[in-house]
Amino acid sequence: MPDQSLPEIRTPDPAVREPDTAGGPGISRRALLGTAGATGLVLGGAGGAVGYAAAPAPATPLTSVGSDRAMFHGKHQPGITEGLQARGHLVAFDLTAGAGRKEAAALLRRWSATAERLMAGEAAPHDDTDVARDAGPSTLTITFGFGHSFFGRTGLEKQRPGVLDPLPDFSSDQLDKARSDGDLWVQIGADDALVAFHALRAIQKDAGSAARVRWQMNGFNRTPGATAHPMTARNLMGQLDGTRNPKPAEADFDQRIFVPASGDPAWMANGSYAVVRRIRMLLDDWEKLSRTAQEAVVGRRKADGAPLSGGSETTPMDLEKTDAKGGYVVPVNAHARITRPDRNGGAAMLRRPFSYHDGIDTDGTPDAGLLFVCWQADPLRGFVPVQRKLDRGDALSQYIRHEASGLFAVPGGAAAGEYVGQPLLEG
C-alpha cells in the first residue's frame, strides 16, 4: 500500500469576542471553553446548565485516504489484490423461500449497480442514507461470491464447480453452523468506517425480499498512514501476518490465485475461490507466554518478522540451522515452518484478513481474533493441504480456535454494462 501523506495542519482562526452571554464582557466563547477544559470547570447553576457543542475541525482538503479509488469493472473482481483496508464487513445471505434463478439474477444486477456507484464515491442508486455523503471513495471494494447451496436453490447444480464441495473437517474446528456457509457472500472493505458501513447498509437494503442475512462479521486493520512506512500488517497477537503472501509481480501469481480464462466451469474464468474462517485467538493464554516463547510458536521474531534463523523479514528461513545444543533454531512445530509452500507441495494462497473484536464473553475472555480470508485458484490445492498439515502439529493451534467457516466461488469481474455472475445466471 503506498505511503499516505499527512493532511495539512491549519491554524484556527482567532477567537471572536462575543457579547456577555456566559462569562462576562471580553471573554470569548472559545476562551471560555478552553478554560473549562483546563480546570475541570462545570458550567451550570440553580436554574439549569449552560454549555456549547464542540466546534467542528477546520475544513481540510480531501486526503489521499479518501480520494483513493478501486475500480468495479475489470478482469477480476475488486477486493482481492488491493492492499488491506482499515475496515471490513463480511456478510452471507440465503435466498428466501420461493426465490430462484430469476430473483438471484435481479439481485446481482442490483448489487452490481450499487457497488459500481459506491466505489466511485457516488450515492446509492436509490434511498441513499447519506452516511458517506462527505467522504470520497476511500478505496471501497465490494466483492460477490456463491456458496455450495446457491446452485441447488437456483437449479444450477450442473454449473456448480467440483472444488466447491464442503471443506473437510479439521480437528481444531468448533464451527457454529449458523455463522458458516451461505448461498451468497459479500465482502466489503474500505479505508473509512462510515464508507464501509454505508456500503453494508446499501447491500442489505438491496437484498429486499430475495435474500436474508445469514450471518455478518465486522473487522478492521491498521489505517493507511498509521506507520512511518508501508509494512506487513500485525494481527491481534502482535505478530506480522502475511510476510510470505504471493505478490502480483510474481510470474506464477495469476496461476496460483485465479481460475484461468479457459478454466472449468467457463463462468468462473478469471475468478477465484475464497475460504473464510472466523478464528478466535485465545489472547489471555497467548499473552501469558514470554516473547521468546511466542516467537518459538510462530518461528519469527515479533519485532520485525525476521525468521529465527536470522536476517530480515524477507530473508529465506534456514530450516536446518541449529543452536549450540543441536536443536533446530526454528522449532519443528513452528507455524511459519509448517505453512511454507515448499513443505506443502507448493500450496499457496493469498491471505487478506481482517482482525475482529466482538466484546468480552461472560467468563471475561475477549472474543477477538482473525476473520481469515484467503484466495486461491483451487482450494483443494491451496487452503486444504496447508490446513491439514497444521492440524497435525502446529504449535499455534492451542492458542486459536476455528469457530466459523465458508467456501465461496467468486466469479471474474464484470465488464462494463454487465453484472457480476451474469455468465452463470444467464448462460
Side-chain angles (χ1 to χ4, degrees), residues 334-351:
H335 183 75
R337 176 190 282 268
I338 293 174
T339 57
R340 287 171 56 95
D342 57 6
R343 294 294 173 114
N344 294 281
M349 49 194 166
L350 178 64
R351 303 187 305 284

Side-chain angles (χ1 to χ4, degrees), residues 23-24 39 53 86 96 99 102 123 126 131 137 142 178 241 268-269 299 303 306 329 339:
T39 65
T96 55
K102 178 181 177 181
H126 53 271
V131 171
I142 306 177
D241 192 342
M268 272 297 290
V329 173
T339 57

Side-chain angles (χ1 to χ4, degrees), residues 97-278:
R101 180 174 176 178
K102 178 181 177 181
E103 289 76 16
L107 174 57
L108 266 297
R109 190 180 294 112
R110 290 195 301 273
W111 274 352
S112 296
T114 294
E116 181 180 5
R117 288 181 61 89
L118 297 187
M119 285 177 54
E122 301 172 5
H126 53 271
D127 298 328
D128 191 87
T129 62
D130 285 342
V131 171
R133 182 182 182 91
D134 311 303
S138 302
T139 325
L140 174 67
T141 61
I142 306 177
T143 318
F144 305 103
F146 305 109
H148 183 274
S149 56
F150 175 83
F151 298 86
R153 294 180 182 274
T154 55
L156 292 166
E157 293 94 336
K158 292 183 179 179
Q159 293 297 323
R160 181 192 292 135
V163 297
L164 201 59
D165 286 346
L167 296 170
D169 294 330
F170 301 104
S171 62
S172 60
D173 287 353
Q174 297 184 33
L175 304 182
D176 179 356
K177 298 298 184 183
R179 292 194 295 181
S180 299
D181 303 317
D183 295 342
L184 293 155
W185 175 70
V186 184
Q187 174 192 251
I188 297 168
D191 283 329
D192 178 77
L194 287 179
V195 169
F197 178 81
H198 178 246
L200 175 67
R201 289 295 297 141
I203 291 298
Q204 290 174 336
K205 289 167 64 178
D206 275 350
S209 61
R212 59 176 178 80
V213 173
R214 178 180 176 89
W215 54 259
Q216 178 190 319
M217 302 176 190
N218 310 312
F220 57 91
N221 283 304
R222 180 165 270 161
T223 301
T227 56
H229 54 82
M231 60 180 293
T232 306
R234 291 189 185 273
N235 59 35
L236 298 189
M237 288 179 162
Q239 301 286 157
L240 294 185
D241 192 342
T243 296
R244 291 185 58 85
N245 246 351
K247 307 294 190 298
E250 295 170 356
D252 61 350
F253 179 84
D254 280 4
Q255 178 183 345
R256 291 177 164 190
I257 307 305
F258 295 109
V259 176
S262 59
D264 182 36
W267 65 267
M268 272 297 290
N270 302 312
S272 187
Y273 291 92
V275 173
V276 181
R277 309 278 281 185
R278 185 180 190 273

